[in-house]
Amino acid sequence: MAELLLKVEQVSVSYGAVQALDSVSLEVKEGEIVALLGANGAGKSTLLKSVMRMVPLKQGVISFRGENLSHSRTSGIVKKGMALVPEGRGILGTMSVKENLEMGAFHRTDWESDLKHVLELFPILSERLHQHAGTLSGGEQQMLAIGRAILSAPRLLLLDEPSLGLAPKIIQNIFKLIQKINSDGISILLIEQNAHMAIKVAHRAYVLETGHIVASGLAHEISSDEELKKAYLGG
Amino acid sequence: MMRVGRDVFIITLFTLVLGFVFSDWVGPYEQTILALCGINIILAVSLNLVNGFTGQFSLGHAGFMAVGAYTSAALTTLYISPEYVSGGVISHLVFVVALLVGGVSAGIVGFLVGVPSLRLRGDYLAIVTLGFGEIIRVIILNIEAIGGARGIGGIPGLTNLYWVVGVCIVSTLALHRLLKSIPGQQFMAVRDDETATLAMGLSTTRIKVRSFVFSSFLAGVAGALFAHYYQYLNPSTFTFNYSFQIVAMVVLGGMGSLSGSILSAVGLTVLLEGLRELQTITQLDLRMVLYSLILIVVMLTRPRGLLGRKEIWEYLPVSLRKGVKKSS
């Protein structure tokens, strides 16, 4: 039985009068890739932000490895072992690739070997190490964002739309790398609009619709459910 | 340690040489302009830390300068007996304390203003800091003990050009070093992407407040230099107009370029004085017209400021740059 990493219980979040999440519950276990699917505005990004405590919860409990995070700050959560790759990658454009990576590891002292590991994982970054990060291509920026998150030594990596704005070939590459990172022992919670791709690499999936979880299960069950397929996976 | 020794050597050398040249070979009128240039450089580079490098927009820098000017002036004029500030080694030691008191008090006010207002962004932050700058001025205006609207006079003239040059070099070098360090990189991380910086586990509020406090500290030191140069302070010096001038220097030089701030601080200060000549010729006060025109032309031709985000040596050819880097 794998250890339960992340547990989200009955979480609700609202932005003013708009309820973005309504009693959402989900779990991620050690070693899993979990996909969170849903249309625009379903609340996927809000869920990741609420897990990182970047938006206030209206109700509900989020715990990580059995520890309640209700009173933690984002900085504390990163130290506990969760890292978010934000939507749109969040590259620090005026800083070099190396500085971006160092920033990811700012609270650690023993990260030199991890830097080597990240550069092996993404060889293109070692070629670009002293280049301004803003001059990288979209795919390279995504790799940099993921590499930077890995350098904070997470047990669980939260990825917000890693395929956003990338060419299909590069998307495949990114998803291969996500599987590789997972096999290295980092669990992954993944948001995707590109549901086909996500469901292929994920072990389990949740489907979110206007703030509610409408379906959950093993990835192949979700992908073989005809109705869900029609509604969320584009037929 | 080598580095510290070398820094001290360079600072002392430049201060003595420039200070000597400025105080002995230059006329008194030019000296006043040079002193104002130096004070404006400190103000511009310190505001650039907040507006350029941290990506926030503060419009109240003159307020923090006023805090530093008034506290240091109150200390040397009202609380310390004249014999200690009338020259000699002791008076210079007293002046060091006065500069620090000015800086620290402005830093404390910066902290108090920064904590609530740095939760805002962009235009909202600009308006709040503008408001705080005015509040500070109006408070000073109403404190009778430091002269109120009459201003405070009889401040010992402890600032000379050695002090201006020295403090100017030290604060610019300190900022330059800070920005190369890991905490300095965090300022730029906040500027580039605040959400991502937060997601990396950095406390963006703390970083912004830190930047604001350090910037206010330097503004306070500049204020203390100002007070002890002109020997008279009046609240009307520190209006929004002065804050705006400092912002103009930062924007014109390039948000995120220390050398740009230095260039434009000197340029604009000298320009404002130089245009006085024109007034005697034309019999019309065209100063502000030309001043604004020059600002407009520069912003049209170089929309990101004179130097953009780069430092001046980054414009040198690579072959030359190596030599410069080694010596800097």
Side-chain angles (χ1 to χ4, degrees), chain B residues 2-327:
Chain B
M2 270 294 288
R3 210 174 181 191
V4 176
R6 207 188 54 188
D7 280 356
V8 171
F9 176 72
I10 290 176
I11 292 167
T12 327
L13 185 77
F14 270 89
T15 307
L16 289 180
V17 170
L18 287 175
F20 178 76
V21 170
F22 290 163
S23 14
D24 289 292
W25 294 357
V26 174
Y29 171 60
E30 285 78 9
Q31 278 187 9
T32 315
I33 298 174
L34 281 170
L36 196 58
C37 279
I39 289 164
N40 282 341
I41 288 175
I42 302 170
L43 290 167
V45 291
S46 60
L47 187 67
N48 206 340
L49 173 65
V50 173
N51 288 23
F53 290 97
T54 318
Q56 309 304 306
F57 204 94
S58 167
L59 264 180
H61 219 45
F64 301 112
M65 182 194 180
V67 173
Y70 268 93
T71 44
S72 63
L75 178 76
T76 53
T77 318
L78 306 174
Y79 294 105
I80 289 179
S81 81
E83 57 192 291
Y84 293 118
V85 289
S86 52
V89 182
I90 292 177
S91 66
H92 286 296
L93 288 177
V94 169
F95 191 40
V96 173
V97 176
L99 287 177
L100 287 177
V101 166
V104 170
S105 55
I108 291 169
V109 175
F111 179 79
L112 296 176
V113 172
V115 167
S117 53
L118 286 168
R119 296 159 58 101
L120 303 169
R121 290 175 199 190
D123 314 350
Y124 303 102
L125 178 65
I127 290 177
V128 167
T129 49
L130 168 69
F132 272 116
E134 284 298 289
I135 289 171
I136 291 170
R137 191 179 62 85
V138 172
I139 289 175
I140 291 171
L141 191 66
N142 285 291
I143 301 178
E144 201 47 46
I146 48 174
R150 275 177 288 116
I152 178 169
I155 305 167
L158 295 170
T159 306
N160 53 31
L161 281 166
Y162 290 96
W163 274 110
V164 175
V165 173
V167 174
C168 201
I169 295 177
V170 169
S171 45
T172 312
L173 202 63
L175 264 178
H176 180 65
R177 288 283 152 79
L178 173 70
L179 290 166
K180 292 269 171 273
S181 71
I182 301 273
Q185 300 273 298
Q186 293 176 357
F187 296 138
M188 287 175 253
V190 169
R191 170 187 73 189
D192 284 356
D193 194 317
E194 197 169 331
T195 313
T197 310
L198 187 63
M200 276 180 256
L202 287 149
S203 167
T204 49
T205 312
R206 203 172 295 168
I207 294 170
K208 286 191 277 183
V209 170
R210 210 179 285 154
S211 151
F212 206 69
V213 168
F214 192 59
S215 167
S216 314
F217 172 84
L218 287 182
V221 172
L225 282 175
F226 183 91
H228 293 84
Y229 193 82
Y230 289 96
Q231 304 183 359
Y232 170 73
L233 288 177
N234 187 302
S236 64
T237 309
F238 306 103
T239 54
F240 163 66
N241 238 324
Y242 204 154
S243 294
F244 170 77
Q245 266 189 39
I246 306 164
V247 172
M249 286 168 193
V250 171
V251 174
L252 195 78
M255 310 250 270
S257 168
L258 289 180
S259 38
S261 288
I262 296 174
L263 275 183
S264 65
V266 174
L268 289 185
T269 312
V270 171
L271 182 75
L272 263 182
E273 286 302 319
L275 288 176
R276 278 185 208 282
E277 294 290 321
L278 200 77
Q279 197 181 339
T280 53
I281 300 168
T282 57
Q283 302 293 320
L284 281 169
D285 194 1
L286 290 174
R287 270 203 316 154
M288 280 302 142
V289 178
L290 276 173
Y291 182 78
S292 326
L293 208 64
I294 287 167
L295 286 186
I296 293 170
V297 168
V298 173
M299 289 328 285
L300 282 177
T301 48
R302 292 202 65 90
R304 309 190 69 182
L306 287 172
L307 298 185
R309 264 181 189 161
K310 292 183 187 165
E311 297 299 345
I312 195 160
W313 52 86
E314 290 173 62
Y315 286 91
L316 291 173
V318 178
S319 53
L320 271 173
R321 206 185 298 169
K322 267 197 177 151
V324 174
K325 257 202 176 149
K326 260 178 209 156
S327 66

